[in-house]
Amino acid sequence: MRIDRQDLYALLRARNIPYEETAHPAVWSMEELHALCLPGEERILKNLFLRDDKKRRYYLVAIDGGRTADLKALRRTLDSRPLRFADAADLERLLGLLPGQVTPLGALRAPAGTVTVVLDASLRGRTVGVHPLENTATTFLNLDDLAALLGDHGVPVIWCPL
């Protein structure tokens, strides 16, 4: 399903999922985002688009913006083959996103079952910030609501300690 930002907000409203949007200039990295000094920036997630070494499984991993992901530990947790960052072509093909636009909401665009969203279990129940399918805004919503939305649209979601 190729939804855009407005479709996403309509979907959130239809499901009665509360959200707040903060518009900002386009950002392409966490450093650029933090330089904006947005209110609530400590709640903004870092999102990684990963694949296994055979390009058989893709993962969109959302972690606390101030943390670093340990790909070897994540591989063990997911019982996966070795993990690598997916390239821009895979990101565009599967999620219709560019580097710097990665968001767990992008999995709503992925062909069914191709991308698994991995969420940091320590953030369960918290309000977090993610891009709304483009990097010119940050949308704040409850991570449990986000996970339920993804799950209801057939996106596999895994909660794990990261």
Side-chain angles (χ1 to χ4, degrees), residues 131-158:
H131 288 315
L133 303 171
E134 54 188 69
N135 60 350
T136 57
T138 298
T139 301
F140 293 91
L141 71 164
N142 184 285
L143 190 57
D144 290 7
D145 289 340
L146 187 152
L149 176 68
L150 295 173
D152 289 349
H153 283 84
V155 177
V157 175
I158 298 172

Side-chain angles (χ1 to χ4, degrees), residues 2 20 44 57 72 75 88 97 107 112-113 115 121 135 153 158:
R2 289 295 171 163
E20 264 182 56
I44 297 173
R57 298 190 67 194
K72 288 182 182 179
R75 173 191 178 192
L97 299 173
V115 176
N135 60 350
H153 283 84
I158 298 172

Side-chain angles (χ1 to χ4, degrees), residues 57 59 61 73-80 83 118 158 160:
R57 298 190 67 194
Y59 302 95
V61 180
L74 181 58
R75 173 191 178 192
R76 289 188 298 275
T77 300
L78 297 174
D79 192 27
S80 170
L83 296 172
V118 180
I158 298 172
C160 65

Side-chain angles (χ1 to χ4, degrees), residues 6-138:
Q6 296 313 312
D7 296 332
L8 170 66
Y9 288 146
L11 184 59
L12 293 174
R13 287 190 299 274
R15 294 197 36 141
N16 295 314
I17 296 175
Y19 68 92
E20 264 182 56
E21 178 191 75
T22 300
H24 52 72
V27 292
W28 301 98
S29 68
M30 289 302 288
E31 292 78 22
E32 287 181 28
L33 186 67
H34 290 306
L36 297 175
C37 299
L38 298 176
E41 76 173 70
E42 71 282 356
R43 297 179 289 152
I44 297 173
L45 299 181
K46 181 186 301 183
N47 301 287
L48 311 171
F49 191 49
L50 307 174
R51 64 168 177 85
D52 70 17
D53 63 341
K54 298 288 187 183
K55 290 191 169 191
R56 292 184 185 148
R57 298 190 67 194
Y58 289 84
Y59 302 95
L60 200 157
V61 180
I63 62 174
D64 179 286
R67 297 187 61 194
T68 302
D70 179 341
L71 297 187
K72 288 182 182 179
L74 181 58
R75 173 191 178 192
R76 289 188 298 275
T77 300
L78 297 174
D79 192 27
S80 170
R81 295 188 53 80
L83 296 172
R84 293 178 169 63
F85 286 92
D87 60 31
D90 287 336
L91 182 61
E92 170 65 27
R93 177 176 56 83
L94 293 171
L95 304 180
L97 299 173
L98 300 173
Q101 296 178 326
V102 180
T103 171
L105 294 165
L108 292 169
R109 294 176 164 179
T114 58
V115 176
T116 298
V117 174
V118 180
L119 301 173
D120 185 343
S122 73
L123 300 175
R124 199 167 213 160
R126 294 191 189 172
T127 297
V128 298
V130 296
H131 288 315
L133 303 171
E134 54 188 69
N135 60 350
T136 57
T138 298

